[in-house]
Amino acid sequence: MSGIKGKDRPNILIVMTEHQQGRTVDPDCPCRMPNVKDRIAGEGLRFELGYTPTALCSPARASFFTGLYPSVHGMYNNYHSMPVIHGGLFPGVKLFSENLKKAGYNLSFIGKWHVSGEKGPADYGWSIPKAQTPWDGGPLGFPKPGSRLRRYREPRKDLKRYAVVRRNGWPDYIIYGTRPGKPEDMMDFKRGKIAAEEIRRLSKKSEPWIIYVGLTEIHDPYIVVEPYASMYDPEDVPLPENYYDPLEDKPAIYRRMRRQLWDQLSEEQIREAIAYYWGLCTMNDDVVGMLLDALEDAGVEDNTLVLFTADHGDQVGGHGLFLKGVLPFEESYRIPMVVRWPHVIKRSSTCSEFVTLCDFAPTFCEIAGAEPLNPCHGRSLLPIFEGSVPEDWPKSFYGQFLGTEYYYTQRIVRDHRYKYVFNAFDFDELYDLQKDPYEMKNLAFDSEYEDVKRRLIEEMWRWAEKTDDIIFNSYPSVALVPYGPQSVKKRSDANPK
């Protein structure tokens, strides 16, 4: 579809959830999401290897909107956290929305922002419906020196059937629970209704539109109303395949998290937590159904590209852990990515290439006939939508984790078989995903895999150069990657193509 004409430019509907594992939209997952699995993936395309560039909210969302890795867009960690590194994006960084607005699109932003603490969506071309809640659609600000000590919120008292993780000197943490009310009381249902009205309103105009819907309630704690709270029987929920991983061959911080926090939960509670999590996923699927119905009501379903994705995943019991952060596992990094675009994308198709959130910004610019983003680390997915994969499409995935409250530094590179993890704070990890898909056995110190490790490290350095990463400091106490960046050049010189 080279050279999309103005009248052929599609509307674009984006639904981004939080903390959602890619597995939840796999056909064999018991989590029921018929609108996403049947009405989007079944009528469109499911990416089997869709990844977030980083498993943290603000930097992941910034990568989605800019097409850049955190090292270049500047949002290293969550801007509302107390040790924030940068409160906003680096000067000059552009979002795809700015270019689409110039190209004549109408823009509407509903739900969570979390891209910059200095500027909101309106500063980047988006319109914000008046019905939004004050928390939605704008910057939250960011902590500054002298204002970081704050009171902690105590757990809510109105929950039924919940599980508590006790913490000395910290507020106890409720991991899941049933709250009172009806589905319409949930914030994501309210956002869905606003978005449905925006679809109907903007579809009456002659210009194409793009609507972003940021849903948040899959995020921990997994608290939801009936009927979703009891939709899944915990006795029917299996424990994750790697739940019994002792973590002895992995960095100590993983074991500390599990022993200090999550080992307090019984196996029955782990199953209940997963059941609640799936209930929230099904609830969000009902919101998606509301939006798909609105497209049909407005008569624009045939000329609307629909994307369903998430900012990152959640361990949800995988390896006996919960939440996200310095956890390089597939549960945290592989995310849902399904796209429907009638008459362009073949129905019920799948793609096994590596795709990241960075790839959507250049895609939207191309199909909208907008000016390309420059710089941009992503690639337009339009050829894949049309059924062909460019020969030079990336053969690996690169994950860039620049820290949370304790500034852990972690990098991930994986190909179709192996995954290597560089941990600056502890020893590294290497997994054979073909033999060990649940990442149970760390091969980083197995001499038989030294060549594999070195090859992946060289690939990591190529990605680091492409993304202008910050890990090139050669000072001895920080230059801890087993093979430095010069090894790439030496090997290529010794083995010229």
Short mmCIF file of all heavy atoms in Angstrom, two decimals, residues 89-142:
data_model
loop_
_atom_site.label_atom_id
_atom_site.label_comp_id
_atom_site.label_asym_id
_atom_site.label_seq_id
_atom_site.Cartn_x
_atom_site.Cartn_y
_atom_site.Cartn_z
N LEU A 89 10.57 14.31 29.03
CA LEU A 89 11.35 13.86 27.88
C LEU A 89 12.49 14.82 27.60
O LEU A 89 12.42 16.00 27.95
CB LEU A 89 10.44 13.75 26.65
CG LEU A 89 9.25 12.80 26.78
CD1 LEU A 89 8.33 12.94 25.56
CD2 LEU A 89 9.70 11.37 26.93
N PHE A 90 13.52 14.32 26.94
CA PHE A 90 14.62 15.19 26.54
C PHE A 90 14.11 16.29 25.59
O PHE A 90 13.17 16.05 24.82
CB PHE A 90 15.71 14.40 25.84
CG PHE A 90 16.60 13.60 26.75
CD1 PHE A 90 17.15 12.41 26.32
CD2 PHE A 90 16.90 14.03 28.03
CE1 PHE A 90 17.98 11.65 27.15
CE2 PHE A 90 17.72 13.30 28.87
CZ PHE A 90 18.26 12.11 28.42
N PRO A 91 14.70 17.47 25.62
CA PRO A 91 14.28 18.54 24.70
C PRO A 91 14.39 18.09 23.24
O PRO A 91 15.35 17.42 22.84
CB PRO A 91 15.28 19.67 25.00
CG PRO A 91 15.74 19.41 26.40
CD PRO A 91 15.76 17.92 26.55
N GLY A 92 13.37 18.43 22.47
CA GLY A 92 13.37 18.11 21.04
C GLY A 92 12.77 16.78 20.68
O GLY A 92 12.55 16.50 19.50
N VAL A 93 12.49 15.92 21.67
CA VAL A 93 11.88 14.63 21.38
C VAL A 93 10.43 14.83 20.96
O VAL A 93 9.66 15.52 21.65
CB VAL A 93 11.96 13.69 22.60
CG1 VAL A 93 11.13 12.43 22.38
CG2 VAL A 93 13.41 13.32 22.88
N LYS A 94 10.04 14.22 19.84
CA LYS A 94 8.69 14.39 19.31
C LYS A 94 7.88 13.12 19.46
O LYS A 94 8.42 12.01 19.44
CB LYS A 94 8.75 14.79 17.83
CG LYS A 94 9.44 16.12 17.56
CD LYS A 94 9.30 16.53 16.11
CE LYS A 94 7.88 16.94 15.79
NZ LYS A 94 7.77 17.50 14.40
N LEU A 95 6.57 13.29 19.59
CA LEU A 95 5.63 12.17 19.62
C LEU A 95 4.95 12.05 18.27
O LEU A 95 4.79 13.06 17.55
CB LEU A 95 4.57 12.38 20.71
CG LEU A 95 4.93 11.97 22.14
CD1 LEU A 95 6.13 12.74 22.65
CD2 LEU A 95 3.73 12.17 23.06
N PHE A 96 4.53 10.83 17.92
CA PHE A 96 3.87 10.65 16.62
C PHE A 96 2.61 11.50 16.51
O PHE A 96 2.20 11.89 15.40
CB PHE A 96 3.55 9.18 16.36
CG PHE A 96 2.49 8.57 17.24
CD1 PHE A 96 1.14 8.85 17.04
CD2 PHE A 96 2.83 7.69 18.26
CE1 PHE A 96 0.15 8.27 17.84
CE2 PHE A 96 1.85 7.11 19.06
CZ PHE A 96 0.51 7.41 18.85
N SER A 97 1.98 11.81 17.64
CA SER A 97 0.74 12.59 17.62
C SER A 97 0.95 13.97 17.01
O SER A 97 0.05 14.49 16.32
CB SER A 97 0.19 12.72 19.05
OG SER A 97 1.19 13.19 19.93
N GLU A 98 2.10 14.58 17.25
CA GLU A 98 2.37 15.89 16.68
C GLU A 98 2.35 15.84 15.16
O GLU A 98 1.80 16.73 14.50
CB GLU A 98 3.71 16.40 17.18
CG GLU A 98 3.78 16.58 18.69
CD GLU A 98 5.17 16.95 19.16
OE1 GLU A 98 5.49 18.14 19.16
OE2 GLU A 98 5.94 16.02 19.53
N ASN A 99 2.94 14.80 14.60
CA ASN A 99 3.00 14.68 13.14
C ASN A 99 1.65 14.33 12.54
O ASN A 99 1.30 14.79 11.45
CB ASN A 99 4.05 13.64 12.75
CG ASN A 99 5.46 14.07 13.09
OD1 ASN A 99 5.65 15.05 13.82
ND2 ASN A 99 6.46 13.36 12.59
N LEU A 100 0.86 13.49 13.26
CA LEU A 100 -0.47 13.15 12.75
C LEU A 100 -1.40 14.36 12.78
O LEU A 100 -2.25 14.52 11.89
CB LEU A 100 -1.07 11.99 13.53
CG LEU A 100 -0.84 10.60 12.88
CD1 LEU A 100 0.62 10.23 12.89
CD2 LEU A 100 -1.67 9.53 13.57
N LYS A 101 -1.25 15.18 13.78
CA LYS A 101 -2.08 16.39 13.83
C LYS A 101 -1.77 17.30 12.65
O LYS A 101 -2.69 17.84 12.00
CB LYS A 101 -1.85 17.14 15.14
CG LYS A 101 -2.79 18.34 15.34
CD LYS A 101 -2.60 18.97 16.70
CE LYS A 101 -3.53 20.17 16.88
NZ LYS A 101 -4.95 19.79 16.85
N LYS A 102 -0.48 17.46 12.33
CA LYS A 102 -0.09 18.27 11.18
C LYS A 102 -0.60 17.66 9.87
O LYS A 102 -0.86 18.37 8.91
CB LYS A 102 1.43 18.41 11.12
CG LYS A 102 2.01 19.29 12.22
CD LYS A 102 3.52 19.39 12.09
CE LYS A 102 4.10 20.26 13.19
NZ LYS A 102 5.60 20.34 13.10
N ALA A 103 -0.76 16.33 9.87
CA ALA A 103 -1.22 15.64 8.67
C ALA A 103 -2.74 15.67 8.52
O ALA A 103 -3.28 15.07 7.59
CB ALA A 103 -0.73 14.19 8.66
N GLY A 104 -3.43 16.34 9.45
CA GLY A 104 -4.87 16.51 9.31
C GLY A 104 -5.74 15.57 10.12
O GLY A 104 -6.96 15.54 9.92
N TYR A 105 -5.16 14.82 11.04
CA TYR A 105 -5.95 13.92 11.88
C TYR A 105 -6.57 14.68 13.05
O TYR A 105 -5.96 15.61 13.60
CB TYR A 105 -5.08 12.78 12.42
CG TYR A 105 -5.04 11.56 11.54
CD1 TYR A 105 -4.42 11.59 10.29
CD2 TYR A 105 -5.63 10.37 11.95
CE1 TYR A 105 -4.38 10.46 9.48
CE2 TYR A 105 -5.60 9.24 11.15
CZ TYR A 105 -4.98 9.29 9.91
OH TYR A 105 -4.95 8.17 9.10
N ASN A 106 -7.75 14.26 13.44
CA ASN A 106 -8.33 14.68 14.72
C ASN A 106 -7.85 13.71 15.79
O ASN A 106 -7.89 12.49 15.59
CB ASN A 106 -9.85 14.68 14.67
CG ASN A 106 -10.39 15.81 13.79
OD1 ASN A 106 -9.89 16.93 13.84
ND2 ASN A 106 -11.39 15.51 12.99
N LEU A 107 -7.43 14.24 16.94
CA LEU A 107 -6.84 13.40 17.99
C LEU A 107 -7.65 13.51 19.28
O LEU A 107 -8.10 14.61 19.65
CB LEU A 107 -5.41 13.84 18.29
CG LEU A 107 -4.32 13.54 17.25
CD1 LEU A 107 -4.42 14.45 16.05
CD2 LEU A 107 -2.93 13.69 17.88
N SER A 108 -7.82 12.39 19.96
CA SER A 108 -8.52 12.38 21.24
C SER A 108 -7.81 11.42 22.19
O SER A 108 -7.52 10.28 21.82
CB SER A 108 -9.98 11.97 21.07
OG SER A 108 -10.67 12.04 22.30
N PHE A 109 -7.52 11.89 23.40
CA PHE A 109 -6.77 11.11 24.38
C PHE A 109 -7.65 10.86 25.59
O PHE A 109 -8.12 11.79 26.24
CB PHE A 109 -5.50 11.87 24.80
CG PHE A 109 -4.52 11.04 25.57
CD1 PHE A 109 -3.39 10.51 24.95
CD2 PHE A 109 -4.70 10.78 26.92
CE1 PHE A 109 -2.48 9.74 25.65
CE2 PHE A 109 -3.80 10.02 27.64
CZ PHE A 109 -2.68 9.50 27.00
N ILE A 110 -7.84 9.57 25.91
CA ILE A 110 -8.65 9.16 27.06
C ILE A 110 -7.81 8.25 27.94
O ILE A 110 -7.18 7.31 27.46
CB ILE A 110 -9.93 8.42 26.62
CG1 ILE A 110 -10.84 9.34 25.81
CG2 ILE A 110 -10.69 7.89 27.83
CD1 ILE A 110 -10.85 9.04 24.34
N GLY A 111 -7.79 8.49 29.25
CA GLY A 111 -7.13 7.57 30.16
C GLY A 111 -5.74 7.98 30.56
O GLY A 111 -5.37 9.15 30.55
N LYS A 112 -4.95 6.97 30.92
CA LYS A 112 -3.65 7.21 31.54
C LYS A 112 -2.65 7.81 30.57
O LYS A 112 -2.50 7.35 29.44
CB LYS A 112 -3.10 5.90 32.11
CG LYS A 112 -1.77 6.06 32.84
CD LYS A 112 -1.34 4.80 33.54
CE LYS A 112 -0.03 5.02 34.28
NZ LYS A 112 0.38 3.86 35.06
N TRP A 113 -1.88 8.77 31.04
CA TRP A 113 -0.83 9.43 30.27
C TRP A 113 0.52 8.83 30.65
O TRP A 113 1.01 7.94 30.00
CB TRP A 113 -0.87 10.94 30.58
CG TRP A 113 0.27 11.77 30.09
CD1 TRP A 113 1.09 12.57 30.83
CD2 TRP A 113 0.69 11.95 28.73
NE1 TRP A 113 1.99 13.22 30.04
CE2 TRP A 113 1.78 12.85 28.74
CE3 TRP A 113 0.28 11.42 27.51
CZ2 TRP A 113 2.45 13.24 27.58
CZ3 TRP A 113 0.94 11.79 26.35
CH2 TRP A 113 2.01 12.70 26.39
N HIS A 114 1.15 9.33 31.70
CA HIS A 114 2.37 8.73 32.28
C HIS A 114 3.55 8.72 31.31
O HIS A 114 4.40 7.83 31.36
CB HIS A 114 2.08 7.31 32.77
CG HIS A 114 2.75 7.00 34.07
ND1 HIS A 114 2.72 5.78 34.68
CD2 HIS A 114 3.50 7.79 34.90
CE1 HIS A 114 3.41 5.81 35.81
NE2 HIS A 114 3.88 7.01 35.96
N VAL A 115 3.61 9.71 30.42
CA VAL A 115 4.72 9.81 29.47
C VAL A 115 5.72 10.88 29.91
O VAL A 115 6.92 10.74 29.72
CB VAL A 115 4.20 10.12 28.05
CG1 VAL A 115 5.34 10.38 27.08
CG2 VAL A 115 3.34 8.96 27.55
N SER A 116 5.21 11.96 30.50
CA SER A 116 6.06 13.05 30.95
C SER A 116 5.41 13.71 32.15
O SER A 116 4.19 13.88 32.18
CB SER A 116 6.25 14.08 29.83
OG SER A 116 6.83 15.29 30.34
N GLY A 117 6.21 14.09 33.13
CA GLY A 117 5.70 14.81 34.28
C GLY A 117 5.74 16.31 34.08
O GLY A 117 5.31 17.06 34.95
N GLU A 118 6.27 16.76 32.96
CA GLU A 118 6.39 18.18 32.68
C GLU A 118 5.34 18.68 31.68
O GLU A 118 4.92 19.83 31.73
CB GLU A 118 7.78 18.49 32.14
CG GLU A 118 8.89 18.18 33.13
CD GLU A 118 10.28 18.35 32.54
OE1 GLU A 118 10.42 18.39 31.29
OE2 GLU A 118 11.24 18.45 33.33
N LYS A 119 4.93 17.81 30.77
CA LYS A 119 3.95 18.17 29.76
C LYS A 119 2.88 17.09 29.66
O LYS A 119 3.16 15.92 29.93
CB LYS A 119 4.62 18.36 28.39
CG LYS A 119 5.60 19.51 28.32
CD LYS A 119 6.19 19.62 26.92
CE LYS A 119 7.16 20.79 26.82
NZ LYS A 119 7.73 20.90 25.44
N GLY A 120 1.69 17.48 29.28
CA GLY A 120 0.59 16.54 29.12
C GLY A 120 0.28 16.30 27.66
O GLY A 120 0.90 16.89 26.76
N PRO A 121 -0.70 15.44 27.37
CA PRO A 121 -1.02 15.12 25.98
C PRO A 121 -1.42 16.32 25.14
O PRO A 121 -1.15 16.36 23.93
CB PRO A 121 -2.17 14.10 26.11
CG PRO A 121 -2.60 14.13 27.53
CD PRO A 121 -1.48 14.66 28.33
N ALA A 122 -2.06 17.33 25.75
CA ALA A 122 -2.46 18.51 24.99
C ALA A 122 -1.25 19.24 24.43
O ALA A 122 -1.34 19.90 23.37
CB ALA A 122 -3.28 19.45 25.87
N ASP A 123 -0.11 19.12 25.09
CA ASP A 123 1.12 19.76 24.60
C ASP A 123 1.69 19.05 23.38
O ASP A 123 2.58 19.57 22.72
CB ASP A 123 2.17 19.79 25.71
CG ASP A 123 1.74 20.61 26.90
OD1 ASP A 123 1.45 21.80 26.72
OD2 ASP A 123 1.68 20.05 28.01
N TYR A 124 1.18 17.85 23.11
CA TYR A 124 1.67 17.06 21.97
C TYR A 124 0.58 16.82 20.93
O TYR A 124 0.63 15.86 20.17
CB TYR A 124 2.23 15.73 22.47
CG TYR A 124 3.45 15.88 23.35
CD1 TYR A 124 3.35 15.81 24.73
CD2 TYR A 124 4.71 16.12 22.79
CE1 TYR A 124 4.47 15.96 25.55
CE2 TYR A 124 5.83 16.27 23.59
CZ TYR A 124 5.72 16.19 24.97
OH TYR A 124 6.83 16.34 25.77
N GLY A 125 -0.42 17.70 20.90
CA GLY A 125 -1.41 17.66 19.83
C GLY A 125 -2.72 17.00 20.14
O GLY A 125 -3.66 17.07 19.34
N TRP A 126 -2.84 16.35 21.30
CA TRP A 126 -4.06 15.64 21.63
C TRP A 126 -5.13 16.57 22.18
O TRP A 126 -4.83 17.52 22.89
CB TRP A 126 -3.79 14.56 22.68
CG TRP A 126 -2.87 13.46 22.25
CD1 TRP A 126 -1.52 13.40 22.48
CD2 TRP A 126 -3.20 12.28 21.54
NE1 TRP A 126 -1.00 12.26 21.95
CE2 TRP A 126 -2.00 11.54 21.36
CE3 TRP A 126 -4.40 11.77 21.03
CZ2 TRP A 126 -1.98 10.31 20.70
CZ3 TRP A 126 -4.37 10.55 20.38
CH2 TRP A 126 -3.17 9.83 20.21
N SER A 127 -6.38 16.26 21.87
CA SER A 127 -7.51 16.87 22.55
C SER A 127 -7.96 15.95 23.68
O SER A 127 -7.87 14.72 23.55
CB SER A 127 -8.67 17.10 21.57
OG SER A 127 -8.30 18.02 20.56
N ILE A 128 -8.44 16.52 24.76
CA ILE A 128 -8.84 15.74 25.93
C ILE A 128 -10.32 15.98 26.20
O ILE A 128 -10.73 17.11 26.44
CB ILE A 128 -8.01 16.13 27.16
CG1 ILE A 128 -6.51 15.94 26.87
CG2 ILE A 128 -8.41 15.29 28.37
CD1 ILE A 128 -5.61 16.46 27.96
N PRO A 129 -11.16 14.95 26.15
CA PRO A 129 -12.59 15.13 26.43
C PRO A 129 -12.80 15.72 27.83
O PRO A 129 -12.09 15.40 28.77
CB PRO A 129 -13.15 13.71 26.34
CG PRO A 129 -12.18 12.97 25.49
CD PRO A 129 -10.84 13.56 25.80
N LYS A 130 -13.80 16.57 27.96
CA LYS A 130 -14.09 17.22 29.24
C LYS A 130 -14.52 16.21 30.30
O LYS A 130 -14.40 16.47 31.49
CB LYS A 130 -15.17 18.27 29.05
CG LYS A 130 -14.71 19.46 28.19
CD LYS A 130 -15.81 20.49 28.07
CE LYS A 130 -15.35 21.68 27.22
NZ LYS A 130 -16.42 22.69 27.06
N ALA A 131 -15.02 15.06 29.87
CA ALA A 131 -15.52 14.07 30.83
C ALA A 131 -14.42 13.32 31.55
O ALA A 131 -14.69 12.52 32.43
CB ALA A 131 -16.44 13.07 30.11
N GLN A 132 -13.17 13.57 31.22
CA GLN A 132 -12.06 12.87 31.87
C GLN A 132 -12.03 13.16 33.37
O GLN A 132 -12.47 14.22 33.83
CB GLN A 132 -10.73 13.34 31.27
CG GLN A 132 -10.53 12.92 29.84
CD GLN A 132 -9.56 11.76 29.73
OE1 GLN A 132 -9.70 10.76 30.41
NE2 GLN A 132 -8.59 11.89 28.86
N THR A 133 -11.47 12.22 34.13
CA THR A 133 -11.23 12.48 35.54
C THR A 133 -9.98 13.36 35.65
O THR A 133 -9.15 13.41 34.73
CB THR A 133 -10.98 11.17 36.30
OG1 THR A 133 -9.74 10.60 35.86
CG2 THR A 133 -12.11 10.18 36.06
N PRO A 134 -9.81 14.06 36.76
CA PRO A 134 -8.64 14.94 36.90
C PRO A 134 -7.31 14.20 36.75
O PRO A 134 -6.32 14.77 36.31
CB PRO A 134 -8.81 15.52 38.32
CG PRO A 134 -10.26 15.45 38.58
CD PRO A 134 -10.73 14.19 37.89
N TRP A 135 -7.29 12.91 37.17
CA TRP A 135 -6.03 12.15 37.11
C TRP A 135 -5.66 11.79 35.68
O TRP A 135 -4.49 11.65 35.35
CB TRP A 135 -6.17 10.89 37.95
CG TRP A 135 -4.88 10.13 38.09
CD1 TRP A 135 -3.89 10.38 38.97
CD2 TRP A 135 -4.46 9.00 37.32
NE1 TRP A 135 -2.86 9.47 38.81
CE2 TRP A 135 -3.19 8.61 37.79
CE3 TRP A 135 -5.02 8.28 36.28
CZ2 TRP A 135 -2.49 7.54 37.26
CZ3 TRP A 135 -4.32 7.21 35.75
CH2 TRP A 135 -3.07 6.85 36.24
N ASP A 136 -6.66 11.66 34.80
CA ASP A 136 -6.41 11.23 33.43
C ASP A 136 -5.94 12.39 32.56
O ASP A 136 -6.27 13.55 32.79
CB ASP A 136 -7.69 10.65 32.81
CG ASP A 136 -7.97 9.23 33.26
OD1 ASP A 136 -7.10 8.65 33.93
OD2 ASP A 136 -9.05 8.72 32.95
N GLY A 137 -5.17 12.01 31.53
CA GLY A 137 -4.90 12.94 30.45
C GLY A 137 -3.97 14.08 30.77
O GLY A 137 -3.97 15.08 30.07
N GLY A 138 -3.17 14.00 31.81
CA GLY A 138 -2.28 15.11 32.09
C GLY A 138 -1.11 14.70 32.95
O GLY A 138 -1.09 13.61 33.51
N PRO A 139 -0.11 15.58 33.09
CA PRO A 139 1.07 15.25 33.90
C PRO A 139 0.70 15.18 35.38
O PRO A 139 -0.20 15.86 35.85
CB PRO A 139 2.03 16.41 33.62
CG PRO A 139 1.14 17.55 33.22
CD PRO A 139 -0.03 16.92 32.49
N LEU A 140 1.41 14.34 36.11
CA LEU A 140 1.20 14.21 37.55
C LEU A 140 2.21 15.03 38.34
O LEU A 140 2.18 15.04 39.55
CB LEU A 140 1.33 12.73 37.96
CG LEU A 140 0.32 11.76 37.36
CD1 LEU A 140 0.61 10.35 37.84
CD2 LEU A 140 -1.10 12.16 37.74
N GLY A 141 3.13 15.71 37.65
CA GLY A 141 4.22 16.34 38.34
C GLY A 141 5.26 15.31 38.74
O GLY A 141 5.12 14.13 38.44
N PHE A 142 6.30 15.75 39.40
CA PHE A 142 7.33 14.81 39.83
C PHE A 142 7.98 15.31 41.10
O PHE A 142 8.05 16.51 41.35
CB PHE A 142 8.38 14.59 38.73
CG PHE A 142 8.95 15.87 38.17
CD1 PHE A 142 10.12 16.41 38.68
CD2 PHE A 142 8.31 16.52 37.13
CE1 PHE A 142 10.65 17.57 38.18
CE2 PHE A 142 8.84 17.70 36.61
CZ PHE A 142 10.01 18.23 37.13
#
